[in-house]
Each structure stands twice: as C-alpha cells, then as structure tokens.
Amino acid sequence: MLPHPTPPLGRAGRRTRAARRTALGALSLAAACSLLATPATAAPVGPGPADAHCAAQARLHVPGAAHQQADCLDELTTAGTVATGHTDPADYAGLTPRDLPTPSGVPGIQIDGYFPDTSTTNTNHGWQHDSQFVIRLPDHWNGGLVVAGTPGNREQYANDRAIADWVLARGYAYAATDKGNTGTAFYRDGRRPGDAIAEWNTRLTQLTRAARAVVTQRYHRPPARTLATGMSNGGYLVRWQLENHPELYDGGVDWEGTLWRTDGPNLLTFLPAALRHYPAYAAGGPGAAEAEAALHRAGFPAGSEFLWPYHHQVYWDLTQRIYREELDPGYDGDTEAGTPYCASGTPACDADYAYPDRPADVHRAVDRIALTGRIGKPLITLQGTLDVLLPISQDSDVYARMVHQAGRGSLLRYYRIEDGTHTDSLADAFPDRLRPMVPCHRSAFTALERWLAGAGRPPADRTVARPADADPATLLTSCPLR
C-alpha cells in the first residue's frame, strides 16, 4: 500500500459529498547479481543505421496522450536521471535498501507525458495533471517491455530504483503510470466510492497499449514479451491485469500486491483491529497480553512485534482512514477520512470500523475493484512473512488459494519470503531481523523469463528461508528460490 508517511490533507470547508467526489484528486523495490545472470528472453537489438542513439525520437507518438515530451539521454537509469531531472527521488524514497547499487550505461529515449484527465494532484514537471506516465526506450533493446503501476499513492517514478534501473540494464523498454491519482487525498477523485481505485486499473491498461505501440514505432517491431510487475498497489494491478486483460501480457510478477476481496479479507477487515488493540499493547499492564493476542488473531504475525510501533505511527492509521474514505465515505458523515488516532469508542472512529456490518453499497464498491484469482497468464507472487502492513495470512496466502480454487493453479508460483517486510528500507534499520525483498523480486523475474522461454518451470510454491549465517551484503544480492 505504502501511502507517503505524511499527514492527511486537511480541507477548508466541505460541500456536499457528491461535490467533494467531483473535485478530483489521489496507496500506499537494483544491481544485477551473479545469481540473476539469466539473459532476457529475446536477443538484443544493436544500433544499426536505423537504430542509432535516439533514432526516431522526433517520430515517436504516444497514442492517446494529451501531452508528451521526448528527450535523448545518455543515461536512462537513476545514475543519470536524478541529475538531469528525469526522475524524482522523492517518489521512491524509502522503498529500497540504502546500499542498493545503481546500474548505469543505458542510453536511450525517455518520454514523459500525460493522458487526458480532470484531476490535478500530480505536480511533476509543473504540469499539475494526473495520469502522468514515463516511457524509457534503451538504445540496446532485448525485445521486451516491462510495465508497472506505482506502489502506494506515489507518482510515476516510484519504481525507478527498485524495478526500472534493473530491467533497463537488462535491455527492456520500461513504462510506468501514476495510476491516475496521487497523494493521501486520492479518494477525492471520482464521482462514486471506488472510482479512484478503479481508475488505477484503467490507466495501466491504457499505458500498456500505448507503450506497446511506441515500442513498435521505435524498434520497428512489437515487443516479443510484455511483462507486468509492481509492488503493493502495483502488485494488485498485476493481479487485476492478468485476470482482466491477459491478452496484453505474457506474464507478471506480483510483489506483495494488495488484496481486495468483497467478502474479505481486505485491509478494511484487519487494520481496524490494529488500531483498536495496539494502544493497549503498547501501554503494557494487565491488558497488554490480550491485546497482543488480538493482533495475532487479526493476522499480524508472531515475531513481528518489533515492527508494530513504526507501522502504528506511519501506516496503519493513515491507510485505514484514507481507503475507508474511498470505499465507505458515509461511515464518518461529513468528516473527511475520519479522526486520526481516535480512541475506540469515539463516534465514527476507524478503530471500531466493522466491514462485515457495513451496508450493501459498501460491499458493492469493493466488488468493483475485487480480485477473483482467474488469471490468464503466468504469475509469480512473492510476499514477506513479516509484512505488517498487508499481513501475509490475510493477503497473498489467500490470493494463492483463490487462484487454485479458480482452476488456474498451473499458472501460479507463490513464494513466501522469510523475514521480508513491506518496506525494504526497514531492512537497514533491522539488519539482523529483516531481509530486503528486492533481490527476491529479481529472482522471481528471472524465473518468469525462463518459464516463458520454455527453459524450465520455476520451483514449486514454498517458503524461501533466510540463510541463518547470511550477512546484510549477501542478502542484498542473493535470494535463491530453490
């Protein structure tokens, strides 16, 4: 989910709920290592007379874009784009380990732009316009395209260090979208509950189609492979795309995707328990043991207690309130996104929110964005066992069962990453307790490449153990799935 850890936006005055919904607005991951040296699935295309550095730049057109700007860059990774202003480090802050190396040596074309939209929360480039995208076209192309939606409520550059740098260095073209709305007040976008999240799915479909066309323009042939990947909300988008538009993709890697399920579990079923019981746990005293047990029953795993203070301070309260506001705005009446850190028993407090008891229209709003498990292309899912924003027992464990129950189990591989958590930067704070997820994502990605190339099926579903004697440097570059 990963909303930016900033205070929720306030509002000066409130018109009717419909008027507020019409005022459109915006949830809350790179060095190649020897283990992951499997080549990409298509032969690299070297620069010839028609494929020289930044060839065809002036002729590239993003179908459906309201605005685009193409630039010829000597470096498409963050080794160069930070200095040239072609990324925004604030977008990916906190998503990767501090010492994650940055690859370099990837010249090519970057196209920034936006599709028509009425919301204006994304301020990148001074455009004040949502549905912004970035498309990167390396000179030395391997024939593939990777598309991604962003985690949390972040903007289009959020995956640049975790995903884009690495796939660009492998020769892929890359495209990402801000999902159509950004920021912790994303719920202001749309006319009815669920509209803002539903737009995320539409925007990734739109970008995938457009990026495939641009790749064809640039390299004179369509991509041989189109792969979807993403983290958190970006992982949710991978699941949804492979369920609803499998014709656009060859496969995907879902990194701890958010589970939306009409009858639960979903984040509105387990986050209220965290808000309700954590204060008693943190206070100690006679009620602490029962509060801890209640948090475990809600899905927060035993052994993750050291992560609870941070998540209570940064994520649990904010995430519950803004996503509840998106899907159930009537719960708190005219108050927008509830009352931060309200005590249980306070009227309309999110700590007391009971999703099963909410009206049918709330469940219908969730149903509009819900997942089914009916994937149509190969998918690899991975999630950390110490994820305490989206607890694994309430998320990927459930989604894996859904895929099997839908009769699509042959298309899924699911890896539970021991001691992984939702936010990779926390591995820096707790190096003896956590492992970063980014190398496991890369192992999963290369396993998908081999799977699609017919070079071997990935290992069976399993929990990937954390090596007992591994030092932090090794864990940063190694995550064998076998």
Side-chain angles (χ1 to χ4, degrees):
M1 307 292 288
L2 291 174
H4 275 303
T6 54
L9 300 180
R11 178 163 52 164
R14 183 180 185 98
R15 296 170 290 173
T16 65
R17 178 72 61 174
R20 191 267 297 169
R21 289 276 173 192
T22 305
L24 302 177
L27 169 2
S28 190
L29 115 133
C33 62
S34 58
L35 171 71
L36 308 179
T38 303
T41 55
V45 178
D51 295 296
H53 179 45
C54 295
Q57 174 183 332
R59 299 194 301 275
L60 297 179
H61 170 68
V62 181
H67 178 78
Q68 70 172 68
Q69 175 180 320
D71 294 304
C72 179
L73 302 180
D74 292 331
E75 183 60 68
L76 291 174
T77 75
T78 56
T81 54
V82 172
T84 62
H86 289 86
T87 188
D88 181 359
D91 274 7
Y92 51 77
L95 295 182
T96 55
R98 177 184 57 247
D99 295 331
L100 187 68
T102 303
S104 60
V106 188
I109 299 169
Q110 175 162 321
I111 306 175
D112 292 286
Y114 53 80
F115 295 109
D117 200 352
T118 55
S119 56
T120 60
T121 60
N122 190 337
T123 62
N124 271 320
H125 309 291
W127 289 337
Q128 309 290 326
H129 201 290
D130 289 345
S131 298
Q132 290 192 36
F133 60 81
V134 58
I135 299 174
R136 297 188 175 109
L137 306 164
D139 288 351
H140 297 273
W141 181 51
N142 71 5
L145 168 66
V146 173
V147 294
T150 59
N153 45 21
R154 298 173 184 243
E155 297 164 355
Q156 67 268 29
Y157 304 117
N159 295 308
D160 279 6
R161 257 179 65 77
I163 297 173
D165 282 352
W166 187 72
V167 300
L168 286 164
R170 292 172 67 80
Y172 284 94
Y174 172 81
T177 170
D178 68 3
K179 308 193 302 288
N181 40 69
T182 65
T184 54
F186 77 98
Y187 50 78
R188 293 173 178 167
D189 198 359
R191 293 177 296 175
R192 56 178 178 157
D195 274 358
I197 296 177
E199 185 179 358
W200 301 350
N201 298 313
T202 302
R203 294 302 182 181
L204 188 58
T205 303
Q206 178 184 43
L207 177 65
T208 300
R209 289 173 171 151
R212 286 172 57 87
V214 172
V215 164
T216 303
Q217 295 168 26
R218 169 65 182 90
Y219 302 110
H220 315 299
R221 62 181 175 90
R225 288 273 191 269
T226 301
L227 306 178
T229 192
M231 166 194 178
S232 193
N233 281 338
Y236 158 74
L237 294 178
V238 175
R239 297 172 178 179
W240 193 95
Q241 293 294 321
L242 295 191
E243 290 182 4
N244 293 276
H245 288 289
E247 76 281 358
L248 294 177
Y249 307 93
D250 295 279
V253 179
D254 151 34
W255 184 347
E256 63 199 19
T258 309
L259 178 63
W260 288 108
R261 197 163 182 258
T262 307
D263 296 329
N266 57 55
L267 64 87
L268 300 181
T269 66
F270 55 79
L271 285 182
L275 301 180
R276 187 162 58 253
H277 298 294
Y278 179 78
Y281 166 77
E290 174 51 35
E292 180 179 13
L295 282 156
H296 291 160
R297 289 194 298 270
F300 300 93
S304 69
E305 292 84 356
F306 69 99
L307 293 168
W308 294 358
Y310 177 83
H311 283 77
H312 179 259
Q313 178 183 8
V314 176
Y315 287 129
W316 289 343
D317 179 77
L318 176 63
T319 301
Q320 164 63 25
R321 289 186 293 100
I322 63 180
Y323 285 88
R324 191 271 306 152
E325 183 72 12
E326 162 66 3
L327 294 159
D328 189 0
Y331 176 72
D332 57 354
D334 284 341
T335 302
E336 183 174 293
T339 303
Y341 297 101
C342 55
S344 178
T346 304
C349 180
D350 276 277
D352 296 321
Y353 187 77
Y355 175 78
D357 300 335
R358 297 303 296 154
D361 61 346
V362 175
H363 293 253
R364 284 193 294 269
V366 174
D367 190 61
R368 294 178 56 214
I369 61 170
L371 297 166
T372 65
R374 294 191 292 270
I375 56 174
K377 289 291 173 65
L379 173 68
I380 297 181
T381 287
L382 66 155
Q383 186 168 9
T385 60
L386 293 183
D387 192 327
V388 292
L389 179 56
L390 304 176
I392 193 169
S393 67
Q394 306 299 300
D395 193 282
S396 294
D397 287 359
V398 178
Y399 188 67
R401 290 197 296 269
M402 290 168 60
V403 173
H404 284 275
Q405 290 165 359
R408 311 297 172 91
S410 63
L411 294 174
L412 177 70
R413 287 292 184 272
Y414 172 39
Y415 303 116
R416 306 171 91 252
I417 310 301
E418 184 180 39
D419 294 345
T421 193
H422 202 79
T423 308
D424 252 13
S425 62
L426 288 174
D428 294 330
F430 302 101
D432 298 330
R433 301 189 188 189
L434 297 175
R435 68 180 303 167
M437 293 285 292
V438 63
C440 302
H441 173 265
R442 292 171 182 182
S443 290
F445 192 97
T446 55
L448 178 65
E449 290 178 327
R450 292 191 295 270
W451 190 2
L452 297 177
R457 297 177 69 83
D461 298 1
R462 65 190 58 212
T463 296
V464 179
R466 180 188 183 194
D469 57 351
D471 60 54
T474 300
L475 291 174
L476 193 60
T477 58
S478 177
C479 185
L481 300 178
R482 291 172 176 79

